[in-house]
Amino acid sequence: MKRPEDIIDEEERERIRLYLEKTLGHPVRKQKIKSILVNPHYHGQSKRTIEVGRSYADLEPGRPSEQVIAIFETKLFCVVTKERGAGEGLPYFFTRDTIRNVEYAD
């Protein structure tokens, strides 16, 4: 049975990681992240867990529901959806000071 953090295969994950490195201009860790617990600075948003494989609305204020396909760690945390960061555009960014916990995949 496929684990939620395996929603994309390793080849696709590496392609996205390299895209993010090129776009952001600094290294992106290869270690797979299952979920992050964030306490965003956005007014009106509460602390919540963001998990690969699940869908969330308001990853930024006013954004529609999108499925998280990967989370990457660099100088900040990059939450990737099919619509944001998976080969075009920018992912959702969460700064280190908003992260309360990181759950790494096996």
Side-chain angles (χ1 to χ4, degrees):
M1 186 169 134
K2 219 175 191 185
R3 299 176 306 176
E5 63 269 21
D6 294 329
I7 194 164
I8 56 175
D9 64 28
E10 288 302 316
E11 186 177 307
E12 177 70 1
R13 183 176 163 67
E14 181 64 6
R15 185 191 65 74
I16 294 170
R17 190 188 71 76
L18 292 172
Y19 166 77
L20 292 173
E21 277 191 349
K22 181 180 177 187
T23 302
L24 301 175
H26 46 84
V28 175
R29 292 184 66 191
K30 290 185 178 187
Q31 188 168 13
K32 193 180 287 188
I33 295 173
K34 182 178 180 179
S35 67
I36 55 175
L37 175 62
V38 298
N39 191 9
H41 294 301
Y42 301 126
H43 179 70
Q45 287 202 325
S46 59
K47 183 165 61 171
R48 66 177 163 173
T49 298
I50 299 173
E51 186 177 346
V52 174
R54 301 198 68 178
S55 294
Y56 301 91
D58 295 321
L59 287 171
E60 283 179 352
R63 292 294 300 174
S65 182
E66 298 173 59
Q67 184 181 37
V68 175
I69 62 171
I71 301 172
F72 291 94
E73 182 177 0
T74 181
K75 293 180 179 180
L76 25 89
F77 287 82
C78 303
V79 174
V80 177
T81 67
K82 291 178 184 175
E83 297 81 9
R84 297 271 304 256
E88 59 181 59
L90 295 174
Y92 293 97
F93 294 117
F94 292 90
T95 58
R96 290 192 173 276
D97 65 328
T98 65
I99 303 298
R100 299 295 172 249
N101 188 51
V102 179
E103 185 178 355
Y104 294 96
D106 300 333

